[in-house]
Structures are given as C-alpha cells and as structure tokens.
Amino acid sequence: SQSERIVWLCEELGIDYELKIYQRERASLGAPLNLKAIHPTGTAPVIQDGDVTISESGAIMDYLMGQYGNGALSVSSNVPNFSDYAFWYHWGIGTFQSTTMTLIYIVKAGVEETHPVLQVLKQKITNSLEMMDQRLMQYTWLAGEDFTAADVYAVFIVTTMRLFTPFPLLGYSGIKRWLENVSHRPAYRRMIEKAEQSESRGEVPVLCDEAPRPMASY
Amino acid sequence: SQSERIVWLCEELGIDYELKIYQRERASLGAPLNLKAIHPTGTAPVIQDGDVTISESGAIMDYLMGQYGNGALSVSSNVPNFSDYAFWYHWGIGTFQSTTMTLIYIVKAGVEETHPVLQVLKQKITNSLEMMDQRLMQYTWLAGEDFTAADVYAVFIVTTMRLFTPFPLLGYSGIKRWLENVSHRPAYRRMIEKAEQSESRGEVPVLCDEAPRPMASY
C-alpha cells in the first residue's frame, strides 16, 4: 500500500518505529474500519508520534523530515535546485498519482477502452512517464544528483501502484535505471522485507519492465 | 482555473507579478498548446521567475513562500500546529482535490449515477466535507487560528472546482463561515478582480450554498 513510502522514509532517516499492518476489507479492498478510529480519513498510511497523529503520505513525509530529518532528503529554499525538488515532489502528489488513481477508478467503473476520457487519461500517463524519463536521463534522481523525498513519493506510483493500473515501462531507460538505483538502496530493501512480507506479489515490481498482471482493484 | 490560487498567494504575500491569461482550447477545454512551450507539463498555473520556470500549484506555492514569504502563510516544523498545517495542506493536494477530479472524469465518461464506483466517490467527497466542516467549526482556519497556504490550496476545491463537479455546501456551517472569512480578505478580492475578469460566472461562487449549475467539462 502507499504506506511503503513511510516505512522507506523511516528506514532512510534511521527513525525507530513500530509497524502495524492492517489488512484491507475483503469486500471493498478499502481501508479497514478500525483505521477510522485512529484518524478521521480512515486511510493508511497514518502515523502516531506521541500526541501527534497524522494521515496523508505527503504530510507524514513533511512531518518526519521536519522533526527528525535534520535537512536530509529535502532541499532547502536557498539551494538552487529547490524549485526542481518542489516541482517533482508536488507533481508526484498532485498530478501523477492523481491521474493514475483516476485511471484506476475509470477502469473499475467499466468505461470502455475506446472511450475518449480513458484515452485522454492514458495519454496523460504516457506524457508523465516521458517527462520523468527525460529528467532521469539527465539527472540521477528527480531533484538532481541527490536522492530526496521526491523520489520516495514517486517510486510507488511506477511500482506497486502499477499492479492496480498496469502500464508498461519498456523503452523508458531513464526510469528503468532510476528504479534499479532505488532497488540497490539498503533502506528500500529493508522496507520491502518488513512492509511487504504480508503481500505476496512474486517478483518485487521495481524491476519489472512489462505491464504487470493487474491485482484486484484498488 | 487552478491558477487563481497563485494569484491569490502573490496578493497575500505582496509579490509583484505580471499575469498572463491563456484561454482553454475550445474543443477539449484543456490547456492551450502554447503553454507546452513554457513547461513540459503544459498546464496552468505555471510561473516564470528569472531563470526558474515552475508548474504545479503546490510546487509554485512552496517556491513563492520559500523565496518571498519570509515565513508567512506556512508553519515551521518547530511550531506545535506544524502537523496540522502539513496534514491539511497535503490532504487538499493529495486527496480532496484528487477525489474531486476523479469524480469529474467519471461523470464525463458517462458512468451512471447508480454505479457503485460513482457512489463511492460521492461518499468520499461527503466524508471529506464533513471532516473539513468539523475542523472549521473548531478553528478559524484549517491549520489553526492563522490563515495559511493550506487554506489557499483548499478554497479553490469548494468554490471554482465545484462549478465542474457540483456538490452542495448546505448544512456545512463551518465551511460556510470559512468561505465568508475568505471572501472578506482584501487579497482574495483583488484576485477575483484581476484573475477572473475573463470568466463570467455570475455570482462569485464563494458564497453560493447550493450545488452550482455545472459549467462545461473540465
């Protein structure tokens, strides 16, 4: 689930944490009702840190970086590539994931493959992948030469999220190399071991080139 | 368009700017092709500041606050309500707007009113409005007693964006009072005057209670 980002971020920042895994509701595959007791959004990820309870990936990431990051994984506003960091981080949250999620809903609603709205969304995803690929052909990581939270946010969209809305990554050599670099990060490997043990997906999707076989709906 | 947030933010921060208005493509109502020449996303808002060109509302807001805000409209990580600020800001970007946008696409794709997916999305929007309303019954602004970028981001979703996916605001007295407070802000009024002069929408939607009549699709 989207929670893998938070586990990964904690591993990258060396934050001690206790991981609680909730199973999706069998019928809806949505968040279980007992998450609602923790935060009114009722969605995962959600973290508890003393008196503070926060939901929403981006908010949790900003919070953890702000409290425990000591400047790591973000770019401060007086550094030249701050605007690149801000763009790629927010574009992942506000546009790329949002478009991908919309496609998941559209497919789930049974909209036909040939419907113009579905075509528009698929084109948006292709444009997004091309834009990312061009960036990653030029730079090692999205914000530049340093790995940041912008990468942590975006990786999930082209890996785990692809299991719910399959698209291929063939031909995107920048993205492919980026995902290979990700898969070599010790913190990422620890996340996969800890967080994903309960979900059997065969091969870890990070290195999978073709459109994966779709999992049950999101 | 979503650009109104940026005009509003500039007015709030007292930033000098030159506003360029692009008309949507007549056929698709999407962004015009000449925006693509400015930034690869080809979407509005986009800003140019010297050598820096940034697209994506959240990124532009972080950039403008980082460069010119001097701490205004954001909450720093050592202040107790930082987690509230982070949550409401990112929830607006990552969940509330994303869900609303998905509903716009689903309706545009002709999915029937009774389809479970459409019902799930409508319920998510109702839950979101209820959560915001409860917050705004307790606090003047989303992050607490001070007006922040979290408000700037979210207001558009329940005002202008409602013109594309009509939902009523009747009964949400917290949201209603919040929008009234917004409509009294001089910077907001200047934004409406400057940015929206080209779009005739009759009454400024900020004070409209019922579900507005839908505009042409997004």
Side-chain angles (χ1 to χ4, degrees), chain B residues 125-167:
Chain B
I125 288 178
T126 302
N127 294 350
S128 295
L129 291 169
E130 279 172 7
M131 192 178 72
M132 277 180 85
D133 194 58
Q134 279 174 29
R135 176 76 186 168
L136 293 165
M137 295 288 277
Q138 278 190 287
Y139 297 91
T140 310
W141 303 104
L142 288 172
E145 290 314 313
D146 293 322
F147 175 81
T148 67
D151 303 295
V152 175
Y153 196 91
V155 159
F156 168 81
I157 307 169
V158 294
T159 57
T160 310
M161 205 164 170
R162 274 213 299 153
L163 295 173
F164 298 91
T165 174
F167 49 81

Side-chain angles (χ1 to χ4, degrees), chain B residues 49-71:
Chain B
D49 179 27
D51 290 343
V52 172
T53 301
I54 322 183
S55 168
E56 191 74 28
S57 296
I60 296 172
M61 291 170 70
D62 277 4
Y63 175 83
L64 292 174
M65 288 189 289
Q67 300 298 311
Y68 305 109
N70 209 10

Side-chain angles (χ1 to χ4, degrees), chain B residues 157-170 201 203-206 208-215:
Chain B
I157 307 169
V158 294
T159 57
T160 310
M161 205 164 170
R162 274 213 299 153
L163 295 173
F164 298 91
T165 174
F167 49 81
L169 288 177
L170 284 160
R201 23 162 118 152
E203 181 196 21
V204 174
V206 79
C208 144
D209 230 7
E210 291 79 18
R213 279 225 316 241
M215 278 180 76

